[in-house]
Every structure is written in structure tokens, then in C-alpha cells.
């Protein structure tokens, strides 16, 4: 048996092949382009303000440039070409005529019924022989008939007749479906024949060589080396190496900024022409500090920072000068230099993430805190140790110094402290010649009242389902906090004991145990949002589902407690605030528990009826401020307890990467008890749970006989309901007493040593 290869001469099948291959590539790429973005910066609401900083057009230009980079132009062009190819293949499928292969059927060839007898078949064949025999018929040119076609027709008629009358031929037809017996196998190729014939084979081989030998290795190599040249913080490996070599302990905020200038990502953002001249121009403006500091405030750069700048050369020196000019909000007098100034800040922020990872590996508290403060400075465009009031619109260093007492005070005012002043005092300090106008003052106060400041209400340690913390157990550090915008004043409700309770999840609830969101938890969050929208009272339900953990790693577009984007008018990127919590050993100056990052919360931060305002619909200047819910949020971090019993005092650091002056530091004490104490408490609890049997039961009667309390059988069974009711009442009284004891214990746990709760020595940036 031979094998025949047939090609798609009429183009019936190859469009299906091309359509399938193209769809496998185009459809996933299309989905990746059209699917909603889950980036926090794309889903978060915004703080309402119509403030436009100096060089707002340059900042917006940088944002547009970043959006163009994120558009994935190559992918868009590939998708467009794919859909054009799909459309063309579908057109070919629609217009190409179909050639349907026919099954060899002797009855159809002879034109007789399947029920015809053998005699009728012979008679019909004789008539066809007289009509179609080659010797008795001539080709008809009008019908495009040829002698070969006529001969082939008569041969098929003869084969059909024999298939129905001759035993051997009939057996071949019954077994193989053809009178000639087993036929050759035909393989169809869904490609036009001209591709592999007429000398075109070399071009096909060349195409295969380019695809498999050049294009495929190039794509794989590009992907592989692209992943290898970047770290998980999305910075170049070479940059991470420079940061590692530049690391030092202690690391001040100025030294951290100098370290960030060593990145390899900056050359793309800087012009190579006239680099030395531009560097000198930036430094001259920087040292003059035009418009960056009030008169008599001294140079913008500290002597140590200026010496570090002068030690550098070339591109790195220009980068560091631009970073200092950005933090000092210095006008460089040149549009190109100002544009570069705003472009290097986001690059420095991404490099700061890599520097933070290096600092975490070393574990020293000072450099870690400096990295977080550097992030705050870069986002807010503020010099290290500058007044937190500079975060508010229209407030300059001179105005901030006047509000703080004209230099008489050695400590800066935080935004919270400024907003806690009476309205009369605030206006007296902020309004006047050389200070803020009435409109500027209202804009600054409006922004301050929308800043998300996380205030800790309670922090304690616990072990899930246990009363004591034992050596080596998995400890949860629970932080109860709420977002309180500055200036909320009397609108902030008091915190109840139920708000500060942390109820363990039900046994078997893997979603709660692993910190994942369940459907019930999502529904509870939506119910809490609805409750917050229907009343002006805060949403502070104490149900277990409402006390779900804040989102720590990952993001869900259905989160109801996402804070607004950071108010950072000078930063050329949208940035969603992140809160970092870590524990440190204050005596050794070392980190004890690595930071846990929280980006959103499960309880609503604002009432639902303000949702349109939150996302920036309408005019910023005319919208009323959103109403916060002041809902208690639960933040949790897990770590393993120390291997030995004792009391361990840590310094808890809560830092926001976006706002200056909102950090909180407090001492917390972890009490680790001996295993024997926990086992003794469990044994005592189990014994207390054993109750006496019912008196009307057999076991109860036998117990009464042993005690000598059973007078007669009839007396024992005369009033079983009464006895049961008395027993129930007694049990309820005992349960009430037990609950009172338990609640008292829990209250002591909340403030005492058993649950390692701590409310002592809380320090914030505003104190």
C-alpha cells in the first residue's frame, strides 16, 4: 500500500490552520491588554484638591511619558496584526468554495435503487453500456467532455456493476469500500502545493531556519537575560551591586540619598550633552537655594552632604545634585534641567526599595528607618528633617517657619498638631501678609483633613486558640488601629472594648487561619460599607468577620478600605500609601521581626455615599470633604516565639512610606511562659468542664445512691421536669459566673501580662 500526499490546491483548509495558530497567540495577548489593572495606583481614590505646583506642566509630562511606557506598544502592534490576520482568514473561509469528497457508491454510480434485484441491475447495466460505451459515444465540446473523461465514466459504471454482481469484487467492496480492494492511504496537507514545489522548497527551509534558528533563540534569550538582569525589586542587578557596596552603618538620610545616586537606571533619564556644564549650573542654583529656604535659614545642604556631593564626579554627581534640588524644590532656571529633576525622583524611589532590602538583610534599625524616611522625602519632595507642614499645598519653608514660631521652636509641627489647634489660632498663624491667603488656607486645611493617618489604639501578642504564649509557638502580633484624618476633632468616636477584641476564627476556617479572604469576609466588608453609608456613626462592628486582617501581600479590586493616593503634587508618579510594621530590639539596635506591609483594609475608610467624590468626579474646589468612618482596622503579623521563657521588650515601628510626621514608635512586651504552666491551665480547664450526670438518668440515680440522696424510685421520678429545670438554672448560674470570670480574665489579658498586651510608652512623630 502506497501513501499519497495531497495539497490544498483550492485553499479550503490552510485558512483554518493559520486561523488556529494566530488565535492561540492573539487571544491571550488581547486579554492581557484589556483586562482591568489590579495595580493599587489604578484603583485607589484621590485626595480632592485643585492645587497646582510650580512646573505642573513638566510633572504632568513625566506622568504622560510613564503612561506611554506602560502602554506596551509592541504588544499592541502584535495584537493588531493578529486580528488583521484572523479577519483575513475568516474572509477566505467565507468565500472559498467547498469541495466535498464523495464516498464510492455503486448504486449511486449506476443510478438505481438499493432494493433493485440482480436481474434489474443487469438489465440497467446493459442499457448504460449501450449508452456510455466509448465506441458508441463521442465527446461533446459544448460540455467540455474529453475521451479520457468518457472512458473513466464507463470504467466506473463497469466497476459498480461488478461490485453488485461479481462475488470477488463484491467481497472487496464489502471489506474495503472499493471494488479494487485496499486503496493507498492519502494524507492531506493544509498548505498550498506551490510552497513545496516549483523550486520553492529552499525558501521554506530558509523560513524555518529563521524562525527556529534565529527568532526563537532571540526571544528566549531576551526573556531570560531580561529576568536575570533585574532583581525582584525591579532594579538592575548592577545597580543592586552598587548599592550593596555603598551601604554603611550608620546610614543617615543624606547618606542614603547619596547611595541612591549610584544606580545604573539614570543614564536613560539624563542628557549626555553638556553634562559638566549642566552639573555646574545645578550646583550653583543648589548652593544659592533660590526659593527653597527662608532668609537666614542657612545653606540648603549640610556641610557633610555638600562634601559628599563634591567627592563625586561625572554622571553620578549630576544625579545627586538633581535629587537635592528636587527635595529642596529648587527652580533650576532651565526647562530641561527641571524636567530631569522630576524624572530622577521616581527612579530613586525604586532604587530605595532595593536599598531597603539590603538594609533588612543587615538588620540594623537605623538604616532601615532611614530608608523609610527617604521614601517619605522623595514622595513629598522634602529635605531631610524639614517641616511636615510642607506637605500641605501653598506652604513654603518661610510660611512653615512662621507658623512654628519664627525659629523660636526647635521642633517642627506635624500636620496633626497643626490641625489640633483651634480655628482661631490656626488662622492667626497661617494668614497674613507674606503667608497664606484665605483661599490658599482653605485648600491647605482641606488637604490636611483628607490625609490618612493611622492611629494605634491597642497592640498585643497572642497565640491562636491559646491563653499562654509558650516557647517556639506561632505568635500573632495584633495591632488595632484606625484611620483618623488630622482635624477630625470631636467627630472621632470613643473606642469600645468590643472594638479592641480579637476573636479567634472558627476551627477549620482555613481562609481566616491563612489570612485569605473568604466569601463571607468579603460580604461582611460590603455590609460594613453599607452600614457606614446609612448612618453618620462609625462602622465599628465587632463581629469576627469584620475583624479580618488588612491586606498585606496582594490586592483585590473589591477592597472597600483602600486609602486615597498619596497627596504628592511634586512626585511625577501616582503612589498608593503603604504602612510598614516591624519589631526591633532597642538595646541592640537590631531588627527582631521583619516588616509587614499593609496597603489596604477590609473595613471602609469613608462612607459609600462619598464614592463618586473619592474617585475624583466633579470639581475639586466645590466638593465637600468625605466623611471618614473611623472604623477599627486589625493588622496582624506572625512570627515564631523565642525558644526560652521570659519577658522580651521590643520597639514597634509603624511607618508610612508616603507622609512625613505620621510615624509611631511604641514599646511592646512579649511574655513567654513555661510549657508546664500552659499544660496545667489546660488540665484545670478540662476538669472544670466535667459536670455531674442528670439526676433523672440511670447514672444520676446511681450517683445519688452513692451519695445517700435517693429516697425512693417514685420520689426520684415524680418530678423530673422540675429537677431538670433546677439543674438547668444552676448550670446557667454557673455558666454566668464562668463567663464573668472569663471576661475578667480577658480584660486582664488585654492590659496585663497573659496576653502580652501593651499600651505603654507610645511615641509618635508629633510628640
Amino acid at each position: 500500500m502506497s501513501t499519497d500526499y495531497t495539497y490544498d490546491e483550492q485553499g479550503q483548509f490552510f485558512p483554518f490552520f493559520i486561523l488556529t495558530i494566530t488565535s492561540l497567540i492573539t487571544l491571550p495577548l488581547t486579554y492581557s491588554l484589556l483586562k482591568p489593572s489590579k495595580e493599587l495606583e489604578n484603583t485607589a481614590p484621590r485626595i480632592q484638591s485643585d492645587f497646582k505646583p510650580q512646573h505642573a506642566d513638566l510633572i504632568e509630562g513625566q506622568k504622560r511619558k510613564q503612561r506611554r511606557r506602560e502602554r506596551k506598544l509592541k504588544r499592541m502592534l502584535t495584537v493588531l496584526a493578529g486580528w488583521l490576520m484572523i479577519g483575513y482568514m475568516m474572509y477566505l473561509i467565507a468565500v472559498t468554495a467547498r469541495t466535498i469528497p464523495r464516498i464510492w457508491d455503486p448504486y449511486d454510480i449506476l443510478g438505481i435503487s438499493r432494493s433493485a434485484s440482480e436481474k434489474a441491475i443487469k438489465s440497467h447495466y446493459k442499457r448504460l453500456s449501450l449508452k456510455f460505451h466509448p465506441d458508441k459515444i463521442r465527446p461533446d465540446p459544448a460540455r467540455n467532455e474529453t475521451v479520457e473523461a468518457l472512458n473513466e465514466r464507463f470504467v466506473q459504471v463497469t466497476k459498480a456493476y461488478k461490485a453488485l454482481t461479481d462475488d470477488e469484487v463484491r467481497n472487496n467492496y464489502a471489506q474495503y469500500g472499493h471494488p479494487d480492494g485496499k486503496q493507498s492511504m492519502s494524507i492531506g496537507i493544509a498548505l498550498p502545493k506551490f510552497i513545496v514545489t516549483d523550486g520553492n522548497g529552499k525558501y521554506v527551509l530558509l523560513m524555518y531556519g529563521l524562525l527556529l534558528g534565529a527568532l526563537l533563540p532571540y526571544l528566549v534569550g531576551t526573556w531570560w537575560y531580561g529576568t536575570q538582569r533585574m532583581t525582584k525589586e525591579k532594579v538592575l542587578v548592577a545597580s543592586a551591586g552598587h548599592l550593596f557596596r555603598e551601604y554603611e552603618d550608620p546610614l543617615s538620610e543624606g547618606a542614603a540619598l547619596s547611595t541612591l545616586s549610584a544606580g545604573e537606571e539614570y543614564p536613560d533619564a539624563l542628557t549626555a550633552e553638556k553634562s559638566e556644564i549642566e552639573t555646574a549650573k545645578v550646583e550653583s542654583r543648589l548652593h544659592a537655594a533660590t526659593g527653597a529656604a527662608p532668609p537666614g535659614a542657612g545653606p540648603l545642604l549640610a556641610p557633610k552632604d555638600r562634601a559628599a556631593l563634591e567627592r563625586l564626579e561625572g554622571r553620578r554627581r549630576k544625579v545627586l545634585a538633581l535629587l537635592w534640588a528636587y527635595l529642596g524644590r529648587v527652580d533650576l532656571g532651565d526647562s530641561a534641567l527641571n524636567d530631569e529633576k522630576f524624572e530622577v525622583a521616581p527612579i530613586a524611589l525604586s532604587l530605595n526599595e532595593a536599598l531597603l532590602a539590603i538594609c533588612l538583610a543587615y538588620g540594623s534599625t537605623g538604616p532601615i528607618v532611614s530608608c523609610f524616611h527617604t521614601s517619605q522625602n522623595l514622595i513629598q519632595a522634602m529635605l531631610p528633617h524639614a517641616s511636615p507642614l510642607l506637605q500641605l499645598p501653598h506652604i513654603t519653608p518661610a510660611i512653615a517657619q512662621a507658623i512654628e514660631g519664627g525659629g523660636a521652636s526647635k521642633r517642627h509641627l506635624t500636620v496633626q498638631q497643626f490641625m489640633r489647634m483651634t480655628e482661631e489660632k490656626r488662622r492667626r498663624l497661617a494668614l497674613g501678609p507674606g503667608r497664606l491667603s484665605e483661599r490658599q488656607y482653605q485648600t491647605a486645611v482641606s488637604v490636611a483633613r483628607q490625609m490618612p493617618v493611622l492611629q494605634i489604639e491597642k497592640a498585643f501578642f497572642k497565640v491562636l486558640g491559646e491563653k499562654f504564649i509558650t516557647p517556639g509557638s506561632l505568635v500573632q502580633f495584633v495591632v488595632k488601629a484606625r484611620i483618623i484624618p488630622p482635624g477630625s476633632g470631636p467627630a472621632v468616636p470613643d473606642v469600645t472594648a468590643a472594638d479592641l477584641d480579637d476573636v479567634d476564627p472558627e476551627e477549620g476556617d482555613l481562609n481566616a487561619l491563612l489570612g485569605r479572604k473568604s466569601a463571607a469576609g468579603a460580604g461582611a466588608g460590603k455590609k460594613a460599607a453599607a452600614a457606614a453609608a446609612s448612618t453618620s456613626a462609625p462602622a465599628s462592628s465587632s463581629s469576627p468577620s469584620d475583624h479580618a486582617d488588612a491586606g498585606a501581600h496582594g490586592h483585590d479590586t473589591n477592597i472597600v478600605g483602600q486609602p486615597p493616593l498619596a497627596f504628592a503634587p511634586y512626585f511625577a508618579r501616582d503612589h498608593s500609601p503603604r504602612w510598614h510594621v516591624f519589631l526591633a530590639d532597642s538595646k541592640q539596635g537590631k531588627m527582631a521581626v521583619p516588616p509587614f506591609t499593609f496597603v489596604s483594609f477590609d473595613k471602609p475608610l469613608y462612607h459609600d455615599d462619598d464614592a463618586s467624590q473619592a474617585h475624583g468626579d466633579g470639581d475639586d474646589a466645590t466638593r465637600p470633604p468625605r466623611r471618614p468612618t473611623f472604623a477599627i482596622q486589625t493588622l496582624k503579623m506572625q512570627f515564631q516565639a523565642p525558644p526560652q521563657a521570659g519577658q522580651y521588650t521590643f520597639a514597634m515601628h509603624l511607618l508610612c512610606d508616603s507622609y512625613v510626621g505620621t510615624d509611631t514608635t511604641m514599646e511592646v512586651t512579649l511574655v513567654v511562659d513555661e510549657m508546664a504552666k500552659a499544660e496545667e491551665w489546660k488540665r484545670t480547664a478540662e476538669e472544670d468542664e466535667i459536670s455531674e450526670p442528670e439526676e433523672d438518668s440511670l447514672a444520676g440515680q446511681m450517683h445519688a445512691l452513692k451519695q445517700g440522696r435517693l429516697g425512693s424510685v417514685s420520689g426520684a421520678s415524680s418530678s423530673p421536669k422540675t429537677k431538670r429545670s433546677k439543674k438547668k438554672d444552676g448550670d446557667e448560674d454557673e455558666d454566668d459566673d464562668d463567663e464573668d470570670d472569663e471576661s475578667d480574665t480577658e480584660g486582664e489579658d488585654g492590659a496585663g501580662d497573659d496576653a502580652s498586651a501593651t499600651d505603654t510608652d507610645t511615641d509618635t512623630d508629633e510628640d
Side-chain angles (χ1 to χ4, degrees):
M1 180 189 67
S2 62
T3 302
D4 294 333
Y5 293 92
T6 60
Y7 292 89
D8 188 17
E9 295 291 349
Q10 291 79 26
Q12 296 185 78
F13 304 111
F14 88 89
F16 290 96
F17 173 75
I18 301 297
L19 177 64
T20 302
I21 298 300
T22 307
S23 299
L24 289 176
I25 300 173
T26 305
L27 293 180
L29 288 178
T30 303
Y31 173 75
S32 67
L33 286 176
L34 298 181
K35 70 177 180 179
S37 175
K38 293 186 177 181
E39 293 293 331
L40 293 170
E41 286 72 18
N42 296 327
T43 59
R46 295 179 180 273
I47 288 180
Q48 306 159 25
S49 175
D50 57 355
F51 172 70
K52 298 294 183 184
Q54 186 183 21
H55 305 303
D57 55 335
L58 298 179
I59 299 173
E60 280 300 319
Q62 288 294 331
K63 291 183 178 181
R64 288 193 298 270
K65 184 187 296 186
Q66 179 63 20
R67 285 193 289 269
R68 285 195 298 269
R69 292 172 184 165
E70 295 174 352
R71 284 175 185 169
K72 303 174 183 177
L73 184 59
K74 293 181 180 179
R75 185 172 301 182
M76 292 176 63
L77 293 176
T78 303
V79 168
L80 179 61
W83 281 109
L84 291 176
M85 180 64 70
I86 290 175
Y88 179 63
M89 292 298 107
M90 293 181 70
Y91 169 76
L92 290 181
I93 293 173
V95 301
T96 302
R98 297 286 173 266
T99 302
I100 301 176
R102 299 178 62 182
I103 298 176
W104 196 87
D105 186 358
Y107 294 98
D108 184 55
I109 295 173
L110 294 175
I112 59 176
S113 172
R114 293 181 180 275
S115 60
S117 62
E118 186 172 348
K119 183 178 180 180
I121 294 173
K122 290 181 178 180
S123 175
H124 185 71
Y125 173 69
K126 289 181 180 180
R127 290 195 297 270
L128 293 178
S129 298
L130 295 174
K131 181 178 180 181
F132 294 111
H133 195 280
D135 296 338
K136 298 183 179 182
I137 190 172
R138 295 290 180 267
D140 186 359
R143 297 181 180 180
N144 293 326
E145 292 180 343
T146 62
V147 175
E148 290 79 7
L150 295 177
N151 291 338
E152 180 64 23
R153 183 195 302 173
F154 184 74
V155 169
Q156 293 298 323
V157 169
T158 304
K159 287 183 178 181
Y161 169 71
K162 290 183 178 182
L164 298 177
T165 57
D166 186 87
D167 291 338
E168 182 179 355
V169 178
R170 182 186 296 151
N171 290 335
N172 287 337
Y173 172 68
Q175 185 175 0
Y176 301 108
H178 199 278
D180 295 336
K182 193 173 183 179
Q183 300 296 297
S184 62
M185 184 178 65
S186 177
I187 298 177
I189 301 176
L191 291 174
K193 191 175 182 179
F194 73 87
I195 292 181
V196 293
T197 58
D198 300 331
N200 295 328
K202 55 185 178 182
Y203 300 110
V204 175
L205 292 177
L206 179 61
M207 182 185 68
Y208 277 116
L210 292 175
L211 288 176
L212 301 179
L215 182 61
L216 184 61
Y218 171 77
L219 294 177
V220 174
T222 302
W223 169 79
W224 172 254
Y225 289 110
T227 57
Q228 293 300 306
R229 67 195 294 263
M230 303 289 288
T231 67
K232 65 178 182 179
E233 289 82 19
K234 304 300 181 184
V235 301
L236 296 174
V237 172
S239 298
H242 296 329
L243 298 178
F244 179 78
R245 287 188 290 271
E246 293 283 334
Y247 172 83
E248 59 182 14
D249 188 7
L251 183 70
S252 65
E253 296 174 32
L257 197 70
S258 178
T259 301
L260 297 180
S261 65
E264 295 289 337
E265 287 83 353
Y266 294 109
D268 295 337
L270 304 177
T271 56
E273 300 178 358
K274 304 179 181 178
S275 179
E276 294 184 1
I277 299 176
E278 291 178 344
T279 302
K281 185 175 181 179
V282 173
E283 289 187 21
S284 64
R285 290 275 185 165
L286 188 61
H287 298 325
T290 303
L300 185 144
L301 291 181
K304 183 178 180 181
D305 296 328
R306 180 166 182 169
L309 175 63
E310 293 175 348
R311 283 197 299 268
L312 301 179
E313 295 179 354
R315 173 190 56 81
R316 185 175 174 185
R317 181 165 181 168
K318 180 181 179 181
V319 169
L320 184 56
L322 288 172
L323 287 174
W324 280 115
Y326 168 77
L327 297 185
R329 304 181 186 178
V330 178
D331 184 5
L332 300 178
D334 183 274
S335 178
L337 290 177
N338 282 323
D339 193 54
E340 291 179 351
K341 175 185 70 175
F342 292 118
E343 189 170 3
V344 296
I347 299 175
L349 183 64
S350 62
L351 291 171
N352 189 59
E353 295 291 330
L355 179 59
L356 175 61
I358 295 173
C359 294
L360 291 175
Y362 279 100
S364 296
T365 306
I368 294 174
V369 174
S370 293
C371 283
F372 285 126
H373 288 170
T374 301
S375 173
Q376 297 172 358
N377 296 333
L378 288 170
I379 292 174
Q380 293 297 334
M382 291 173 50
L383 292 168
H385 311 295
S387 172
L389 296 180
L390 294 177
Q391 299 172 103
L392 301 179
H394 302 297
I395 293 185
T396 63
I399 297 176
Q401 188 180 47
I403 294 175
E404 293 170 349
S409 175
K410 295 183 179 180
R411 301 190 65 177
H412 293 301
L413 279 178
T414 65
V415 176
Q416 301 93 295
Q417 292 171 335
F418 175 66
M419 294 302 295
R420 275 201 295 267
M421 295 179 181
T422 62
E423 178 70 16
E424 179 183 358
K425 184 177 181 181
R426 271 203 313 268
R427 298 177 71 88
R428 177 168 50 83
L429 292 175
L431 296 176
R435 302 186 186 184
L436 300 179
S437 65
E438 178 64 29
R439 179 176 176 81
Q440 291 174 340
Y441 171 79
Q442 294 296 338
T443 301
V445 170
S446 174
V447 169
R449 286 176 174 158
Q450 300 175 70
M451 290 174 57
V453 177
L454 191 62
Q455 177 177 305
I456 296 179
E457 301 294 344
K458 184 181 179 181
F460 56 93
F461 298 93
K462 62 175 287 189
V463 173
L464 199 64
E466 300 292 340
K467 182 177 177 61
F468 297 97
I469 299 176
T470 55
S473 59
L474 187 61
V475 180
Q476 283 189 346
F477 180 58
V478 183
V479 178
K480 295 287 185 176
R482 53 180 176 171
I483 296 291
I484 301 181
S488 299
V492 181
D494 295 331
V495 178
T496 64
D499 293 330
L500 301 181
D501 286 342
D502 188 66
V503 182
D504 291 339
E506 296 181 2
E507 188 175 356
D509 188 355
L510 293 180
N511 289 325
L513 293 175
L514 298 177
R516 296 193 301 249
K517 286 188 176 181
S518 61
K526 293 180 180 179
K527 290 179 181 178
S534 62
T535 177
S536 59
S540 56
S541 173
S542 60
S543 64
S545 59
D546 286 346
H547 282 276
D549 298 348
H553 306 285
H555 176 61
D556 185 353
T557 56
N558 293 325
I559 289 178
V560 296
Q562 187 173 356
L565 294 175
F567 181 76
Y570 296 93
F571 192 65
R573 298 287 187 277
D574 290 334
H575 184 79
S576 184
R578 292 158 172 80
W579 284 266
H580 308 273
V581 181
F582 71 96
L583 301 179
D585 187 343
S586 55
K587 294 181 180 179
Q588 299 182 1
K590 292 290 185 178
M591 176 186 64
V593 179
F596 276 61
T597 302
F598 301 90
V599 298
S600 55
F601 309 97
D602 285 342
K603 287 189 179 180
L605 303 182
Y606 300 95
H607 291 275
D608 273 355
D609 55 359
D610 302 322
S612 61
Q613 301 174 17
H615 287 275
D617 301 335
D619 185 8
D620 289 333
T622 59
R623 286 195 303 266
R626 292 169 291 160
R627 295 176 299 134
T629 61
F630 306 109
I632 292 292
Q633 312 290 347
T634 303
L635 313 179
K636 292 183 180 180
M637 53 191 295
Q638 291 185 343
F639 61 95
Q640 190 173 16
Q644 284 130 16
Q647 291 191 1
Y648 300 87
T649 301
F650 301 103
M652 185 212 71
H653 296 269
L654 172 64
L655 305 101
C656 179
D657 70 343
S658 303
Y659 293 105
V660 178
T662 61
D663 302 345
T664 300
T665 302
M666 78 183 324
E667 283 193 354
V668 291
T669 302
L670 171 64
V671 178
V672 181
D673 293 302
E674 296 287 352
M675 185 67 72
K677 183 177 179 181
E679 292 176 352
E680 178 64 25
W681 177 83
K682 286 183 179 179
R683 187 163 49 252
T684 304
E686 291 175 357
E687 292 175 356
D688 292 341
E689 290 177 358
I690 301 176
S691 60
E692 295 184 358
E694 295 285 345
E695 292 185 7
D696 57 345
S697 64
L698 180 59
Q701 293 178 16
M702 294 180 65
H703 181 72
L705 282 172
K706 290 180 181 180
Q707 300 296 329
R709 292 189 284 107
L710 186 61
S712 63
V713 176
S714 60
S717 60
S718 59
S719 57
K721 293 183 179 179
T722 306
K723 292 180 180 180
R724 279 197 298 268
S725 63
K726 290 181 180 178
K727 181 65 178 176
K728 275 188 176 179
D729 294 339
D731 291 343
E732 289 177 359
D733 294 338
E734 291 175 6
D735 292 340
D736 291 340
D737 294 338
D738 292 342
E739 288 178 2
D740 293 339
D741 294 340
E742 185 179 354
S743 63
D744 292 341
T745 303
E746 290 178 355
E748 293 171 3
D749 293 346
D753 295 337
D754 288 340
S756 302
T758 54
D759 292 318
T760 60
D761 300 337
T762 302
D763 298 328
T764 62
D765 285 355
E766 56 187 275
D767 293 333

